[in-house]
Amino acid sequence: MALAAPPRPFTARRRLNRLARALRRHGWRAQRRYTGPRPVLRVFFPDAPCLGDSVTVTAGDGGWWYRSSTGELLAPCSDVDLAVSLVTTSLGRWVSAAGSPWGTGGA
């Protein structure tokens, strides 16, 4: 069960930066939005910027977790590869459902 407690902004930014680098390597665009009260990473396919997800960091069982804007805990921050897989699979379905003519690089 996830706790609602956010980490310190520095901690969240560091973990979101790591996720952003991994997502970019897979062809996704990751836009940092760190000026608000809670750091957010906006993730979307470059050619379909209207379809995306906002990922935050929150406390969960065993440490810090990446959390989708849907409220779903994606993966522990210690498992960036799993988080990338879940984000790209989820967004890849949205891009495909929207009838996008662009590929998602295997997402």
Side-chain angles (χ1 to χ4, degrees):
M1 178 174 169
L3 304 174
R8 292 179 304 177
F10 174 79
T11 300
R13 286 191 305 266
R14 195 172 88 215
R15 284 164 173 75
L16 290 171
N17 286 340
R18 188 172 173 220
L19 178 61
R21 286 189 301 273
L23 285 162
R24 287 182 187 120
R25 285 191 298 269
H26 284 52
W28 293 89
R29 185 162 178 207
Q31 185 179 66
R32 296 178 296 188
R33 296 185 178 173
Y34 295 172
T35 58
R38 188 171 205 180
V40 173
L41 185 67
R42 179 78 178 145
V43 181
F44 52 92
F45 186 64
D47 294 325
C50 59
L51 299 173
D53 195 4
S54 296
V55 178
T56 58
V57 173
T58 192
D61 292 337
W64 299 115
W65 284 68
Y66 293 113
R67 181 181 214 152
S68 169
S69 59
T70 64
E72 176 186 5
L73 292 180
L74 298 168
C77 291
S78 60
D79 194 346
V80 173
D81 291 336
L82 177 59
V84 167
S85 177
L86 293 171
V87 168
T88 59
T89 299
S90 173
L91 291 177
R93 281 191 293 246
W94 281 102
V95 170
S96 294
S100 171
W102 310 285
T104 58

